[in-house]
């Protein structure tokens, strides 16, 4: 199962790095800022996961291959956007960021759970689910804070909840259905929920939906 997981992690790293880089470009950051934002989005959740699980130093610093992939991806995204001026096509950039963010969220949610299962000697479903959500959402929260935005998970559609649903499903399926089925199903559910939430505008209750306005 190691090779498929490695491939998933690389795909997730690239996806999250692209979403971070696009945010940086739209904020008119220079290439250094864009690369840092791509790197933070890609590895931030994994660093938080490792600290929660007591893995020190975090894997990112022991095996920097994912950090290198994230930086290179962000740099390529920066120049691709500059050359094609994609960022001016707001709708195109929004769709690309949505897809990349959804893929990264789904993959890293289940990868986080897999890491928790591999290092914990006893089963702790609450911890496994928490680690999955933190791994999936942590990098995006750091990206938004660095970019000066309200974290995506608090204002955009069905984000953290999609990760939570996928994490619960993956954790529950792990023992009964096997690692592969749990990972594939959990990631697929997260991605599907995120994309459907964006298309059909699913969201949780907010004050402005009940007639309250921000003052």
């Amino acid at each position: 199962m190691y090779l498929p997981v490695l491939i998933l992690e690389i795909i997730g790293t690239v996806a999250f790095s692209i979403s971070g880089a696009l945010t940086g470009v739209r904020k008119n950051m220079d290439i250094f800022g864009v690369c840092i934002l791509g790197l933070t989005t890609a590895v931030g959740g994994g660093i938080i996961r490792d600290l929660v699980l007591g893995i020190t130093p975090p894997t990112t610093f022991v095996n920097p291959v994912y950090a290198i992939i994230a930086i290179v991806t962000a740099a390529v995204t920066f120049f691709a956007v500059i050359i094609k001026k994609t960022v001016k096509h707001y709708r195109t950039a929004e769709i690309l960021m949505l897809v990349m963010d959804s893929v990264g969220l789904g993959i890293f949610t289940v990868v986080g759970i897999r890491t928790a299962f591999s290092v914990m000697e006893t089963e702790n479903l609450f911890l496994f689910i928490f680690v999955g959500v933190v791994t999936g959402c942590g990098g995006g929260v750091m990206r938004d804070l660095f970019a000066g935005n309200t974290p995506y998970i608090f204002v955009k559609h069905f984000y953290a909840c999609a990760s939570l649903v996928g994490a619960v499903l993956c954790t529950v399926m792990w023992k009964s259905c096997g690692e592969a089925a749990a990972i594939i199903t959990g990631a697929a559910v997260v991605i599907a929920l995120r994309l459907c939430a964006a298309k059909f505008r699913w969201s949780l209750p907010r004050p402005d939906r009940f007639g309250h306005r921000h003052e």
Side-chain angles (χ1 to χ4, degrees):
M1 188 63 189
Y2 176 75
L3 182 58
V5 171
L6 176 63
I7 294 172
L8 279 178
E9 288 180 332
I10 292 174
I11 293 172
T13 299
V14 170
F16 260 166
S17 181
I18 291 174
S19 77
L22 286 173
T23 299
V25 171
R26 289 172 58 184
K27 284 288 184 174
N28 200 33
M29 295 182 180
D30 59 24
I31 187 171
F32 180 76
V34 168
C35 288
I36 291 299
L37 218 56
L39 173 65
T40 300
T41 310
V43 304
I47 292 174
I48 299 173
R49 171 202 67 205
D50 290 350
L51 293 176
V52 170
L53 294 175
I55 303 173
T56 54
T59 306
T60 298
F61 302 108
V62 176
N63 182 14
V65 62
Y66 299 109
I68 294 171
I69 291 173
I71 293 171
V72 171
T73 300
V76 170
T77 302
F78 175 85
F79 286 112
V81 169
I82 296 302
I83 293 171
K84 296 183 179 180
K85 299 182 179 178
T86 306
V87 74
K88 289 188 177 181
H89 303 286
Y90 181 79
R91 183 59 181 166
T92 302
E94 279 285 295
I95 293 174
L96 180 59
M97 183 170 174
L98 169 66
V99 172
M100 293 297 100
D101 214 35
S102 300
V103 171
L105 180 66
I107 290 175
F108 278 115
T109 295
V110 296
V111 166
I113 293 171
R114 181 180 186 272
T115 302
F117 268 105
S118 68
V119 300
M120 295 296 295
E121 296 181 357
T122 58
E123 286 192 28
N124 185 328
L125 298 185
F126 178 76
L127 175 62
F128 294 163
I129 293 168
F130 175 80
V131 166
V133 175
V134 165
T135 308
C137 299
V141 172
M142 295 173 69
R143 171 199 65 206
D144 294 336
L145 291 176
F146 284 7
N149 298 327
T150 302
Y152 208 69
I153 67 171
F154 301 136
V155 295
K156 284 290 184 179
H157 305 302
F158 199 74
Y159 192 91
C161 290
S163 176
L164 178 60
V165 171
V168 170
L169 187 60
C170 179
T171 302
V172 170
M173 290 179 61
W174 198 273
K175 292 296 185 181
S176 59
C177 301
E179 178 180 337
I183 286 176
I184 293 171
T185 304
V189 166
V190 174
I191 296 170
L193 285 175
R194 274 292 296 126
L195 295 177
C196 287
K199 179 175 178 58
F200 299 110
R201 298 190 176 279
W202 296 342
S203 61
L204 298 177
R206 296 190 314 202
D208 59 3
R209 296 180 180 274
F210 297 94
H212 297 286
R213 295 187 178 276
H214 176 73
E215 298 180 356

